[in-house]
């Protein structure tokens, strides 16, 4: 089972940059998308259906053109869960889960901390999300939580580890990520690539992508019960429809 995750920074913009041709070539079973910046009714969804994804689900922010997540599937899930049921989290459209027989896959878009107000929102979101997942995994142990976590966990995950005062690499954020992993999840990329310094996001400024001055903000977190099923985990930096690039985890199920 090939699961792909991609913060597209606007699905309509990505479509103009060849997203569909690329998707057909990569051919994942499930793709989790973050930051669609669109509501379903603003799109011609037959484009995705014709590409081989007849089952597509959208959870959008109340504010149009902002945030929002989606999941496209080749096979029909048993259940779709829109949001978390926590109003403070759900109004920005940041969580969408699809359940299959052997695995449940969530598309997550964790907030960024662009200013003090948003940083406080992010910290609150992180705390509530942890509590939500602690409860959810009792019911659904075979979770894969893919998406843009907006956090670099370790120094190897950022081009300049001295940036400790910037949101995304704050000590508090990194501690939360470590605790999230310790509470029953595996960073699939780091699990299979202990020494690789690869990134999934680059600033549009200062030619950062060409100089590979990036951050690894996107993760496929796999619940411990699925540990032995992780066969591959990798990053696709050549896909350039966004300031992020896709990440992939393949499970032997």
């Amino acid at each position: 089972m090939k699961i792909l995750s991609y913060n597209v920074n606007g699905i309509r913009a990505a479509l103009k940059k060849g997203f569909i041709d690329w998707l057909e070539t990569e051919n994942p079973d499930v793709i989790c998308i973050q930051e669609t910046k669109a509501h379903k009714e603003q799109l011609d969804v037959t484009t995705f259906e014709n590409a081989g994804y007849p089952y597509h689900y959208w959870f959008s922010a109340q504010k149009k053109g902002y945030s929002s997540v989606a999941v496209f599937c080749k096979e029909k899930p048993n259940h779709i869960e829109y949001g978390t049921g926590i109003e403070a989290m759900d109004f920005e459209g940041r969580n969408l889960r699809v359940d299959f027989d052997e695995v449940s896959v969530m598309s997550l878009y964790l907030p960024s901390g662009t200013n003090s107000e948003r940083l406080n929102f992010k910290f609150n979101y992180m705390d509530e999300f942890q509590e939500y997942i602690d409860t959810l995994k009792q019911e659904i142990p075979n979770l894969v939580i893919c998406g843009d976590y907006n956090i670099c966990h370790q120094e190897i995950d950022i081009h300049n580890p001295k940036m400790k005062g910037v949101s995304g690499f704050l000590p508090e954020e990194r501690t939360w990520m470590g605790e999230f992993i310790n509470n029953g999840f595996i960073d699939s990329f780091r699990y299979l690539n202990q020494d690789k310094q690869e990134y999934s996001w680059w600033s549009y400024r200062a030619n950062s992508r060409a100089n590979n001055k990036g951050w690894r903000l996107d993760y496929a977190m796999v619940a411990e019960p699925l540990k032995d099923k992780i066969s591959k985990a990798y990053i696709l930096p050549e896909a350039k429809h966004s300031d992020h690039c896709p990440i992939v985890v393949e499970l032997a199920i």
Side-chain angles (χ1 to χ4, degrees):
M1 185 178 189
K2 181 177 179 179
I3 303 169
L4 194 147
S5 181
Y6 199 174
N7 179 325
V8 294
N9 194 14
I11 188 67
R12 287 170 290 183
L15 287 168
K16 294 176 182 177
K17 299 174 184 176
F19 175 83
I20 288 294
D21 289 342
W22 167 84
L23 180 61
E24 290 178 329
T25 299
E26 281 300 323
N27 196 34
D29 297 292
V30 176
I31 178 168
C32 298
I33 298 176
Q34 302 85 45
E35 216 171 352
T36 66
K37 296 183 177 180
H39 286 223
K40 182 178 179 180
E41 59 269 21
Q42 295 176 296
L43 299 157
D44 178 4
V45 296
T46 60
T47 303
F48 309 110
E49 294 166 0
N50 293 338
Y53 297 90
Y55 307 104
H56 47 86
Y57 309 98
W58 306 77
F59 186 53
S60 299
Q62 292 179 16
K63 177 182 176 182
K64 284 195 172 182
Y66 180 71
S67 184
S68 311
V69 292
V71 180
F72 302 167
C73 310
K74 285 189 170 295
E75 296 186 9
K76 188 177 182 179
N78 300 328
H79 173 76
I80 303 95
E81 188 70 25
Y82 296 92
T84 62
I86 301 170
E87 187 177 356
M89 299 172 70
D90 288 348
F91 76 101
E92 291 189 352
R94 294 181 176 273
N95 296 86
L96 176 61
R97 192 186 82 239
V98 293
D99 298 337
F100 298 96
D101 289 344
E102 295 183 70
V103 64
S104 292
V105 182
M106 179 184 289
S107 183
L108 163 71
Y109 180 36
L110 207 69
S112 61
T114 50
N115 54 48
S116 59
E117 181 182 350
R118 291 303 293 176
L119 186 58
N120 287 333
F121 178 76
K122 180 178 185 177
F123 284 141
N124 186 64
Y125 198 106
M126 287 155 53
D127 290 342
E128 292 192 327
F129 183 67
Q130 181 69 74
E131 291 178 12
Y132 173 76
I133 294 300
D134 286 345
T135 301
L136 181 65
K137 68 184 181 182
Q138 304 302 316
E139 175 191 352
I140 302 175
N142 291 348
L143 275 171
V144 178
I145 305 176
C146 294
D148 178 3
Y149 283 68
N150 264 311
I151 300 169
C152 290
H153 181 210
Q154 300 172 324
E155 290 192 353
I156 195 174
D157 298 317
I158 189 169
H159 73 94
N160 181 5
K162 295 180 181 179
M163 299 175 70
K164 291 182 171 62
V166 179
S167 180
F169 199 58
L170 295 173
E172 300 93 330
E173 294 168 317
R174 297 173 63 197
T175 296
W176 180 88
M177 183 70 91
E179 291 175 351
F180 184 83
I181 292 169
N182 290 338
N183 279 333
F185 284 89
I186 298 157
D187 174 355
S188 58
F189 176 79
R190 189 58 65 211
Y191 174 62
L192 296 182
N193 305 278
Q194 293 184 11
D195 301 317
K196 278 190 177 181
Q197 191 159 8
E198 295 185 10
Y199 310 121
S200 65
W201 175 80
W202 301 262
S203 170
Y204 282 130
R205 299 176 183 174
N207 215 18
S208 295
R209 191 158 189 167
N211 295 318
N212 201 29
K213 292 184 176 181
W215 304 44
R216 189 168 74 97
L217 299 177
D218 302 85
Y219 300 79
M221 293 291 187
V222 178
E224 284 279 355
L226 293 169
K227 181 177 181 178
D228 294 338
K229 304 291 187 183
I230 302 171
S231 59
K232 294 181 181 178
Y234 49 97
I235 297 174
L236 298 171
E238 296 307 311
K240 296 180 179 178
H241 315 95
S242 168
D243 51 349
H244 290 253
C245 75
I247 62 161
V248 184
V249 63
E250 296 186 18
L251 302 176
I253 56 174

